[in-house]
Amino acid sequence: MWSYILKRLLLMIPTLLGILLITFVITQFVPGGPVEQMVAQLQGRDAGEGAAATGYRGRQGVDAKRVDEIRKLYGFDKPAPERFLHMLGQYARLDLGKSFFHNKDVWQLILEKLPVSITLGMWTFLLTYLIAIPLGIAKAVRAGSRFDTATTFVVLLGYAIPSFVMGVVLLVLFAGGTYFQWFPLRGLTSMNWEELSVWGKVTDYLRHIALPVISLVLGSFAVITIMTKNSVLEEIRKQYVLTARAKGVNERKVLTHHVFRNALIPIMTGFPAAFVGAFFSGSILIETLFSLDGLGLLSYESVIRRDYPVVMGSLFLFALLGLIATLVRDLSYVWVDPRVKYFG
């Protein structure tokens, strides 16, 4: 077991290097970098216009010495391989660098935005599994019934509609003022948050978080529901279940003591990866749509503004957490099912 864990940890190193290298190379060919954007600001032009310009056109009208100073300020006076190796040295010390435009450490920015992403991720994770697992079990027990057919239609409909499209629909219907204005349009709290009572703060928070969470849950619980149903059906059809029923064992006992325990193993072992993934994936468009100042919105703005330290630093952190979550998921198979063995 320890040999397997060591091998997996060592394999994370080339995986991370590959991810960082590919992303770094891509960023070198993207026009409108931080140097061009700074030059555009010095010329009094819009930053977006500067981002669209090429390096040559973006520097017209600015002294060449000043451009060299800007390149040195951002570290672009050094060759790309040297900058990449310097970045790897920083990441080895868990130093993610400093943002070009926020004038803050990347770690500080991530910690500032993390509460919003944790809020979205926690609610999405809990509601997804609290709805999907019981629904999947109910569909398996009543397979082929009208309930199974109707819920399958609803589940697949929710899966087919992207979360950001669902978010737009919910905003128009319940927060845009066109039909109903039951929920706030943006943010996690109201402007008068500090003046509210304890109960007022709770209800205000729930009203703000309701639409974003609904948008994320409707697009994510379909896979877990279908997987739970198929896993339970597979266990129900196995020989040991038929034998237990033939011996006169109560149907409820067969389901709770045998079928559910074995059928939910694949679902339970997916918790670590799903828990981490709920925080860092799938929420970029939702955070942008609902103006939630979290990691998703930070990543989106960093890409638009070519804030490379934030882009690379957040990518490094997300990739590392994803690899660790995958390892924990694989190890959890052994912890919950002794029949699984790892060799190596």
Side-chain angles (χ1 to χ4, degrees):
M1 172 65 73
W2 291 109
S3 174
Y4 174 79
I5 295 176
L6 180 60
K7 287 182 179 179
R8 288 292 299 271
L9 291 175
L10 292 176
L11 282 173
M12 290 182 185
I13 298 176
T15 304
L16 282 173
L17 288 176
I19 294 172
L20 293 175
L21 178 60
I22 292 173
T23 308
F24 183 83
V25 171
I26 291 175
T27 59
Q28 303 309 302
F29 296 98
V30 177
V35 175
E36 284 74 18
Q37 294 199 34
M38 178 61 72
V39 170
Q41 292 180 13
L42 292 175
Q43 293 174 332
R45 296 188 289 128
D46 181 74
E49 181 184 349
T54 64
Y56 173 76
R57 289 161 53 193
R59 297 168 193 172
Q60 289 179 351
V62 178
D63 184 64
K65 184 177 179 181
R66 189 65 181 273
V67 174
D68 291 338
E69 291 176 353
I70 296 174
R71 290 176 60 84
K72 186 176 181 179
L73 175 65
Y74 291 131
F76 285 94
D77 58 324
K78 301 175 182 177
E82 185 178 343
R83 286 187 279 119
F84 181 70
L85 292 176
H86 176 72
M87 182 188 70
L88 293 182
Q90 285 184 310
Y91 290 175
R93 303 189 302 270
L94 295 181
D95 178 8
L96 301 184
K98 192 172 184 177
S99 169
F100 288 156
F101 299 100
H102 293 278
N103 198 28
K104 293 181 180 179
D105 290 337
V106 176
W107 271 118
Q108 183 180 351
L109 281 173
I110 291 176
L111 292 177
E112 289 177 358
K113 312 298 182 182
L114 193 58
V116 174
S117 296
I118 287 179
T119 295
L120 282 177
M122 183 68 72
W123 282 110
T124 302
F125 174 81
L126 290 176
L127 291 178
T128 296
Y129 276 87
L130 287 176
I131 295 173
I133 292 180
L135 181 59
I137 293 173
K139 287 172 63 61
V141 173
R142 305 177 188 178
S145 65
R146 292 182 178 178
F147 171 81
D148 182 30
T149 304
T151 53
T152 297
F153 174 78
V154 174
V155 166
L156 294 180
L157 180 63
Y159 181 72
I161 301 177
S163 58
F164 71 92
V165 174
M166 182 61 67
V168 172
V169 172
L170 293 176
L171 278 175
V172 172
L173 291 179
F174 302 112
T178 305
Y179 297 96
F180 306 100
Q181 200 160 1
W182 294 346
F183 298 95
L185 188 60
R186 59 175 60 88
L188 278 183
T189 56
S190 300
M191 297 294 293
N192 62 337
W193 166 262
E194 298 296 336
E195 304 172 3
L196 299 175
S197 63
V198 175
W199 177 247
K201 289 181 178 179
V202 172
T203 55
D204 181 74
Y205 166 76
L206 293 177
R207 289 179 65 246
H208 278 82
I209 205 67
L211 296 186
V213 170
I214 291 173
S215 303
L216 289 171
V217 169
L218 288 178
S220 60
F221 82 104
V223 175
I224 307 298
T225 301
I226 299 301
M227 188 164 63
T228 302
K229 174 191 173 182
N230 293 338
S231 182
V232 173
L233 281 177
E234 183 180 357
E235 290 296 323
I236 288 177
R237 294 165 181 166
K238 288 185 176 179
Q239 186 63 42
Y240 75 92
V241 176
L242 298 177
T243 303
R245 287 172 173 170
K247 290 182 176 181
V249 179
N250 182 271
E251 183 68 17
R252 181 181 294 272
K253 188 175 181 179
V254 171
L255 292 175
T256 56
H257 286 65
H258 300 284
V259 173
F260 295 163
R261 180 182 300 178
N262 295 324
L264 294 182
I265 287 177
I267 312 299
M268 302 296 289
T269 52
F271 277 6
F275 188 73
V276 173
F279 294 152
F280 302 113
S281 64
S283 61
I284 295 179
L285 293 175
I286 294 298
E287 288 183 12
T288 305
L289 182 63
F290 289 93
S291 299
L292 301 175
D293 195 13
L295 291 175
L297 186 59
L298 174 67
S299 301
Y300 171 77
E301 292 178 344
S302 300
V303 172
I304 296 298
R305 302 184 68 178
R306 309 296 193 267
D307 197 346
Y308 296 144
V310 179
V311 173
M312 299 298 297
S314 57
L315 176 68
F316 170 76
L317 180 61
F318 298 165
L320 180 61
L321 291 176
L323 291 172
I324 294 174
T326 303
L327 175 60
V328 174
R329 180 199 63 191
D330 294 340
L331 294 176
S332 62
Y333 275 103
V334 178
W335 296 334
V336 300
D337 190 353
R339 296 172 296 178
V340 178
K341 301 294 181 182
Y342 288 117
F343 300 94

